[in-house]
């Protein structure tokens, strides 16, 4: 049984409507679709409704990243758990020519996807579980900063000083266990973020002690990422102050914010609790190579 249909990029009206309804949960996927880095789109139609043109689920793939965005009924989910969820026709061939590196999405969607991939011998080498959190900006939102802390937009001249922080962030929060750190790629990502005016720096005692950035944007939301404070400056309120400053700085563009935080990162969870970020779902990133 093949429930999927491969779509052309020119046939996205139904796709966009479907994603808009679930925007809180798939900012990363929408951001990559909007920037043209999604090369393959598969859609399942009419599974939950009488309308054969209604999208029930999407698989979005590009740049070796796979995003499942599902809206199956509870009955259909139970059926898939029992009998397996079919993958799109020739889907393994697409992965063979462009090997899968990572997949990310809501934990329940990832469960279905991983079980389906397993039948093709595609098994994740590591998994990271997160809390997906949401925040709506209010004009009276303010947070007291540590004395002497200076938070500002990053400049091109900051690249060298910020590189150790970006490297630290990638090593602690991004790289799968056993993966080799790529300094050139890390620097390229940092330079791109700075060039797009998406990075804030935190300076304390004459040293760049922390960084934070926007790493994705959807129709009505910005996604916060890249939050990192040097170990010797932690537990001083810098991450909390940076997050609040970033929200105020970018609120004129969008006033809704999303982030995901590792469930095991208790200090970070407490920071986002204190700022009013609400948990809206369990989220997962799984790595395959």
């Amino acid at each position: 049984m093949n429930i999927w249909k491969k779509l052309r990029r020119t046939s996205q009206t139904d796709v966009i409507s479907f994603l808009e309804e679930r925007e809180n949960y798939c900012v990363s996927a929408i951001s990559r679709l909007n920037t043209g880095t999604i090369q393959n789109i598969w859609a399942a139609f009419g599974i939950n409704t009488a309308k054969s043109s209604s999208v029930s689920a999407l698989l979005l793939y590009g740049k070796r990243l796979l995003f499942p965005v599902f809206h199956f009924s509870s009955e259909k989910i139970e059926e898939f758990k029992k009998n397996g969820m079919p993958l799109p026709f020739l889907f393994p061939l697409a992965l063979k020519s462009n090997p899968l590196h990572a997949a990310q999405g809501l934990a329940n969607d990832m469960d279905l996807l991983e079980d389906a991939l397993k039948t093709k011998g595609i098994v994740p080498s590591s998994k990271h579980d997160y809390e997906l959190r949401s925040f709506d900006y209010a004009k009276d939102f303010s947070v007291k900063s540590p004395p002497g802390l200076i938070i500002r937009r990053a400049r091109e001249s900051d690249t060298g000083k910020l590189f150790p922080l970006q490297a630290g962030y990638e090593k602690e929060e991004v790289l799968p266990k056993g993966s080799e750190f790529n300094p050139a790629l890390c620097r390229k990502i940092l330079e791109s973020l700075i060039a797009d005016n998406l990075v804030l720096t935190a300076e304390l005692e004459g040293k760049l002690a922390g960084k934070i950035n926007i790493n994705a944007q959807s129709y009505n939301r910005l996604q916060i990422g890249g939050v990192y404070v040097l170990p010797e400056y932690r537990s001083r309120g810098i991450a909390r102050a940076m997050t609040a400053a970033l929200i105020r700085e970018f609120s004129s563009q969008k006033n809704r914010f999303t982030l995901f935080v590792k469930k095991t990162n208790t200090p970070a969870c407490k920071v986002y609790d204190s700022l009013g970020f609400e948990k809206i779902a369990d989220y997962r990133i799984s790595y395959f190579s």
Side-chain angles (χ1 to χ4, degrees):
M1 178 181 66
N2 183 21
I3 64 172
W4 302 98
K5 178 181 178 181
K6 191 168 184 180
L7 303 182
R8 297 178 180 178
R9 289 192 55 83
T10 54
S11 306
Q12 290 189 15
T13 303
D14 291 337
V15 169
I16 291 173
S17 297
F18 178 78
L19 291 172
E20 283 178 333
E21 293 176 5
R22 288 151 194 84
E23 183 176 5
N24 294 8
Y25 309 109
C26 53
V27 176
S28 294
I30 293 170
S31 182
R32 289 185 172 271
L33 183 65
N34 287 344
T35 55
T37 57
I38 297 294
Q39 286 87 40
N40 297 281
I41 304 172
W42 292 276
F45 290 93
I47 292 178
N48 300 327
T49 68
K51 295 181 179 180
S52 60
S53 61
S54 178
V55 176
S56 300
L58 291 173
L59 279 172
L60 307 171
Y61 189 56
K63 299 291 185 180
R64 302 182 65 200
L65 297 177
L66 179 61
F67 299 90
V69 187
F70 301 158
H71 187 58
F72 296 124
S73 65
S74 56
E75 292 79 10
K76 183 59 67 173
I77 291 172
E78 289 304 313
E79 178 188 328
F80 287 155
K81 286 181 178 179
K82 181 179 179 180
N83 301 318
M85 182 188 73
L87 289 170
F89 184 63
L90 297 181
F91 180 75
L93 186 61
L95 299 191
K96 185 176 181 180
S97 61
N98 192 20
L100 176 64
H101 171 62
Q104 63 172 280
L106 297 184
N108 290 337
D109 293 351
M110 289 294 292
D111 286 340
L112 291 177
L113 176 64
E114 288 170 7
D115 285 345
L117 290 173
K118 187 177 180 180
T119 65
K120 305 298 182 182
I122 305 170
V123 180
S125 55
S126 65
K127 303 179 183 181
H128 299 287
D129 290 314
Y130 299 86
E131 292 181 356
L132 183 63
R133 295 192 173 217
S134 175
F135 179 87
D136 290 354
Y137 175 75
K139 289 184 179 180
D140 60 352
F141 176 69
S142 63
V143 170
K144 187 177 181 180
S145 294
L149 186 69
I150 300 172
I151 299 177
R152 59 171 174 80
R153 294 254 187 159
R155 299 183 288 262
E156 184 179 352
S157 58
D158 295 319
T159 304
K161 293 180 180 179
L162 278 176
F163 178 77
L165 283 79
Q166 181 70 18
Y169 166 73
E170 291 192 9
K171 291 175 182 178
E172 288 186 26
E173 300 294 332
V174 178
L175 288 179
K177 188 175 180 180
S179 296
E180 185 175 348
F181 173 65
N182 186 330
L185 180 59
C186 175
R187 189 177 184 92
K188 183 179 180 180
I189 291 171
L190 178 61
E191 289 172 345
S192 178
L193 289 168
I194 293 174
D196 289 338
N197 274 320
L198 298 177
V199 184
L200 296 187
T201 66
E203 184 177 335
L204 189 62
E205 300 165 354
K207 185 174 183 178
L208 291 184
K211 65 167 287 290
I212 187 171
N213 58 262
I214 298 296
N215 65 8
Q217 57 181 314
S218 54
Y219 310 117
N220 301 294
R221 287 186 169 269
L222 294 174
Q223 185 165 283
I224 299 171
V227 186
Y228 188 80
V229 177
L230 292 174
E232 62 267 31
Y233 285 94
R234 293 176 184 174
S235 301
R236 296 171 68 171
I238 295 176
R240 187 169 184 266
M242 288 195 305
T243 305
L246 181 137
I247 289 170
R248 291 194 300 271
E249 184 81 9
F250 287 91
S251 62
S252 61
Q253 297 180 27
K254 303 278 194 301
N255 60 8
R256 297 176 182 176
F257 296 83
T258 297
L259 59 80
F260 43 87
V261 56
K262 282 183 179 176
K263 292 184 175 184
T264 55
N265 193 341
T266 302
C269 289
K270 289 181 178 179
V271 167
Y272 301 131
D273 283 338
S274 72
L275 290 169
F277 279 84
E278 295 184 2
K279 178 185 173 181
I280 58 174
D282 291 324
Y283 197 86
R284 184 184 306 148
I285 300 179
S286 295
Y287 295 92
F288 294 83
S289 59

